[in-house]
Amino acid sequence: MEYYQIAIDGPSGSGKSTLAKGVANKLGILYLDTGAMYRACGLCALNNKIDTKDEEKIRKMMETIRIDITHEDGSQHVWLDGKDVSTDIRLPGVSVAASDVSAIPCVREAMVDLQRKISEGKNVVLDGRDIGSKVFPNAKYKFFLVAAAEERARRRLLEMKEKGATDITFEEVLRDIQYRDHQDTTRASSPLVKVEDAIEIDTTSISIEETLDTLLSYIKE
Ligand code: DC
């Protein structure tokens, strides 16, 4: 039996994870949040007080790190060295650490291998930065989401406030997004790029529900 992949790439806050979850629910296939894996690597560095830009130290860290992904009741759990870190990887500071370590080739190689291994023998929708360009260049459908940085910061702030964050400002979230945009698009190893065969969707002024309908209409075709 032939299995297929759906790739959803784009910058942070463009709506990837909500849309990927929606597609997975609608089609009854697995959803893999690949950003969560880089977040676990970033968290590991922070926990061990390792400079997230020190390639040599991160390489050493990657020799012993253990990341596992499980799915329970439709939600993904990320385990770092045997501990469920699904909540910790969303803490402020982890985003930037994840972006830093994700620029290091040995981190990318390990995570790409893990993503391909988890996807084996399944139909799967993955969201990330390099799914259509590197992880699954032959994915059946490739989407590239974009949205204005201010709108993405507004959405991220709302999400953080809903989860109880009180001491974070719009400017801080916007700065974090702009830092990551720059780093994720300019790194040498698998930078965030729209591949030629990806369908680009600008989500700045359309709702998630409308975007999901658009995505599903392409998938049905
Ligand atoms: O999607 P996210 O915001 O949770 O991702 C966190 C960081 O991980 C992001 O700034 C870049 C990196 N990342 C990546 O390099 N490749 C992926 N496929 C997914 C995420």
Side-chain angles (χ1 to χ4, degrees), residues 9-13 16 33-39 90 94-96 98-100 102-103 108 115 127-131 135 156 180-181 184 187 189-190:
D9 290 303
S12 45
K16 297 186 305 287
D33 169 1
T34 65
M37 298 178 182
Y38 293 96
R39 283 173 179 270
R90 306 289 161 197
V94 180
S95 317
V96 165
S99 177
D100 286 348
S102 75
R108 303 210 66 80
Q115 289 153 27
D127 77 2
R129 307 292 189 288
D130 59 341
I131 309 302
V135 185
R156 202 26 65 91
R180 289 206 285 148
D181 278 0
D184 297 347
R187 68 181 176 218
S189 182
S190 304

XYZ file of all heavy atoms in Angstrom, residues 9-13 16 33-39 90 94-96 98-100 102-103 108 115 127-131 135 156 180-181 184 187 189-190, ligand 1:
301
model
N 4.229 24.068 5.396
C 5.373 24.849 5.856
C 5.006 26.323 5.951
O 4.041 26.784 5.309
C 6.551 24.684 4.874
C 7.164 23.292 4.935
O 7.586 22.889 6.035
O 7.200 22.603 3.888
N 5.803 27.039 6.712
C 5.591 28.480 6.811
C 6.238 29.006 8.072
O 6.699 28.230 8.912
N 6.272 30.347 8.217
C 6.902 30.936 9.397
C 6.042 30.767 10.653
O 4.876 30.364 10.556
C 7.019 32.421 9.012
C 5.911 32.647 8.050
C 5.737 31.368 7.292
N 6.614 31.087 11.805
C 5.859 30.923 13.051
C 4.642 31.847 13.083
O 4.708 32.998 12.651
C 6.746 31.197 14.258
O 7.488 32.352 14.040
N 3.551 31.301 13.552
C 2.330 32.080 13.697
C 1.503 32.184 12.425
O 0.509 32.914 12.375
N -0.025 27.234 10.842
C 0.308 25.856 10.432
C -0.279 24.779 11.334
O -0.916 23.849 10.859
C 1.826 25.639 10.418
C 2.594 26.456 9.453
C 4.060 26.053 9.437
C 4.731 26.098 10.784
N 5.017 27.417 11.338
N 3.772 17.408 14.540
C 4.244 18.779 14.756
C 5.764 18.717 14.885
O 6.296 18.340 15.925
C 3.584 19.303 16.043
C 4.172 20.599 16.556
O 5.099 21.141 15.918
O 3.702 21.075 17.608
N 6.474 19.069 13.808
C 7.931 18.895 13.824
C 8.630 20.007 14.620
O 9.727 19.796 15.131
C 8.517 18.838 12.393
O 8.318 20.107 11.751
C 7.874 17.743 11.578
N 7.978 21.162 14.746
C 8.562 22.249 15.540
C 8.759 21.804 16.984
O 9.734 22.199 17.643
N 7.844 20.967 17.471
C 7.914 20.493 18.859
C 9.217 19.728 19.111
O 9.771 19.766 20.205
C 6.708 19.607 19.159
N 9.714 19.051 18.072
C 10.953 18.289 18.237
C 12.149 19.226 18.399
O 13.024 18.998 19.228
C 11.178 17.401 17.016
C 10.085 16.382 16.816
S 10.487 15.466 15.315
C 9.091 14.391 15.247
N 12.196 20.283 17.570
C 13.282 21.264 17.698
C 13.160 21.998 19.033
O 14.162 22.368 19.653
C 13.268 22.245 16.521
C 13.624 21.560 15.215
C 12.629 21.100 14.349
C 14.958 21.318 14.878
C 12.956 20.435 13.176
C 15.294 20.664 13.700
C 14.286 20.219 12.859
O 14.610 19.553 11.698
N 11.926 22.188 19.480
C 11.717 22.830 20.780
C 12.293 21.954 21.896
O 12.895 22.460 22.849
C 10.217 23.074 21.023
C 9.699 24.265 20.229
C 8.184 24.413 20.315
N 7.767 25.575 19.567
C 7.668 26.804 20.084
N 7.883 27.002 21.362
N 7.315 27.815 19.312
N 6.622 24.939 25.400
C 5.890 26.158 24.983
C 6.240 27.357 25.850
O 5.685 28.444 25.674
C 4.361 25.932 25.058
C 3.876 24.722 24.288
C 3.955 24.909 22.781
N 3.925 23.628 22.096
C 4.302 23.442 20.838
N 4.729 24.436 20.101
N 4.249 22.251 20.294
N 11.851 29.271 24.932
C 12.148 28.014 24.231
C 12.069 28.212 22.710
O 12.804 27.584 21.958
C 11.236 26.856 24.721
C 11.545 25.565 23.992
C 11.393 26.653 26.225
N 11.193 29.129 22.255
C 11.062 29.369 20.801
C 12.391 29.787 20.193
O 12.819 29.249 19.165
C 10.068 30.493 20.497
O 8.935 30.394 21.265
N 13.022 30.766 20.838
C 14.283 31.282 20.301
C 15.371 30.205 20.398
O 16.146 29.999 19.457
C 14.675 32.593 21.035
C 16.111 32.948 20.778
C 13.749 33.726 20.585
N 14.911 27.030 20.272
C 14.599 26.035 19.230
C 15.099 26.530 17.878
O 15.696 25.775 17.104
C 13.094 25.784 19.181
N 14.853 27.804 17.604
C 15.295 28.378 16.334
C 16.824 28.333 16.246
O 17.388 27.975 15.201
C 14.763 29.811 16.221
O 15.224 30.417 15.054
N 17.500 28.648 17.359
C 18.980 28.627 17.375
C 19.503 27.222 17.072
O 20.313 27.044 16.159
C 19.508 29.038 18.766
C 19.363 30.524 19.032
O 19.073 31.285 18.090
O 19.541 30.925 20.199
N 18.040 24.723 15.767
C 17.570 24.143 14.503
C 18.454 24.551 13.324
O 18.340 23.994 12.234
C 16.111 24.535 14.229
O 16.035 25.869 13.809
N 19.323 25.539 13.545
C 20.231 25.963 12.468
C 21.459 25.058 12.410
O 22.249 25.133 11.471
C 20.652 27.416 12.693
N 19.381 19.015 12.787
C 18.428 18.817 11.686
C 18.452 17.362 11.197
O 17.419 16.758 10.972
C 18.735 19.744 10.500
C 18.744 21.221 10.842
C 18.321 22.072 9.658
N 16.933 21.830 9.310
C 15.911 22.360 9.949
N 16.085 23.184 10.946
N 14.675 22.074 9.587
N 11.549 12.200 12.031
C 10.270 12.516 11.363
C 9.927 11.473 10.296
O 8.786 11.047 10.172
C 10.344 13.920 10.731
C 10.343 15.029 11.769
C 11.044 16.289 11.309
O 11.113 16.568 10.116
N 11.562 17.060 12.249
N 3.729 19.610 9.900
C 3.971 21.042 9.732
C 5.376 21.376 10.192
O 5.944 20.703 11.042
C 2.889 21.893 10.411
C 3.028 21.999 11.918
O 3.975 21.448 12.466
O 2.172 22.653 12.530
N 5.961 22.385 9.529
C 7.339 22.751 9.869
C 7.864 23.832 8.958
O 7.134 24.746 8.555
N 9.156 23.734 8.653
C 9.805 24.736 7.797
C 10.374 24.098 6.527
O 10.550 24.773 5.522
C 10.964 25.418 8.541
C 10.626 26.028 9.902
C 9.706 27.226 9.738
N 9.516 27.980 10.972
C 8.801 27.579 12.018
N 8.215 26.397 11.990
N 8.652 28.343 13.081
N 10.702 22.802 6.641
C 11.441 22.135 5.561
C 10.757 20.841 5.137
O 11.410 19.947 4.603
C 12.869 21.798 6.050
C 12.823 20.884 7.277
O 11.769 20.810 7.935
O 13.834 20.211 7.555
N 9.481 20.716 5.397
C 8.815 19.434 5.109
C 8.760 19.204 3.598
O 9.177 18.150 3.113
C 7.391 19.378 5.737
C 7.419 19.752 7.230
C 6.770 17.988 5.517
C 8.313 18.907 8.089
N 12.220 17.104 4.057
C 11.794 15.876 4.750
C 11.034 14.967 3.792
O 11.332 13.777 3.677
C 10.944 16.209 6.012
C 10.623 14.937 6.795
C 11.662 17.208 6.911
N -0.245 35.055 18.149
C 0.589 34.366 19.142
C 0.331 34.925 20.543
O 0.208 34.185 21.516
C 2.041 34.582 18.738
C 3.187 33.724 19.157
C 3.077 32.319 19.522
N 2.690 31.322 18.576
C 3.485 30.598 17.803
N 4.759 30.814 17.815
N 3.018 29.667 17.028
N 13.112 35.066 14.759
C 13.031 33.696 14.229
C 12.855 33.687 12.709
O 13.420 32.863 12.012
C 11.899 32.936 14.921
C 12.265 32.638 16.363
C 11.541 31.444 16.870
N 10.147 31.682 17.168
C 9.217 30.763 17.026
N 9.505 29.576 16.533
N 7.964 31.028 17.367
N 12.050 34.634 12.188
C 11.874 34.724 10.723
C 13.233 34.878 10.061
O 13.551 34.188 9.096
C 11.058 35.980 10.353
C 9.561 35.772 10.500
O 9.152 34.665 10.887
O 8.808 36.736 10.244
N 15.411 31.643 10.675
C 14.902 30.436 9.996
C 15.009 30.542 8.467
O 15.092 29.530 7.776
C 13.439 30.153 10.404
C 13.287 29.857 11.901
O 14.314 29.633 12.571
O 12.148 29.870 12.400
N 19.379 30.701 7.571
C 20.360 29.669 7.971
C 20.808 28.880 6.726
O 20.056 28.764 5.747
C 19.746 28.743 9.029
C 18.640 27.893 8.484
C 18.014 26.987 9.535
N 16.913 26.279 8.952
C 15.774 26.016 9.572
N 15.573 26.436 10.808
N 14.833 25.334 8.955
N 21.501 25.614 6.551
C 20.989 24.255 6.470
C 19.453 24.236 6.404
O 18.785 24.635 7.353
C 21.492 23.510 7.717
O 21.097 22.188 7.710
N 18.912 23.797 5.270
C 17.444 23.714 5.062
C 16.681 24.947 5.559
O 15.842 24.844 6.446
C 16.869 22.488 5.775
O 17.485 21.323 5.382
O 6.915 25.623 14.545
P 7.579 26.101 15.845
O 7.443 27.575 16.086
O 7.150 25.307 17.026
O 9.149 25.801 15.625
C 10.149 26.177 16.524
C 11.464 26.391 15.776
O 11.914 25.150 15.238
C 11.406 27.340 14.586
O 11.764 28.667 14.927
C 12.346 26.760 13.571
C 12.496 25.330 13.959
N 11.888 24.391 13.005
C 12.644 23.991 11.925
O 13.758 24.503 11.751
N 12.170 23.052 11.070
C 10.952 22.514 11.251
N 10.530 21.568 10.397
C 10.140 22.925 12.328
C 10.634 23.892 13.181
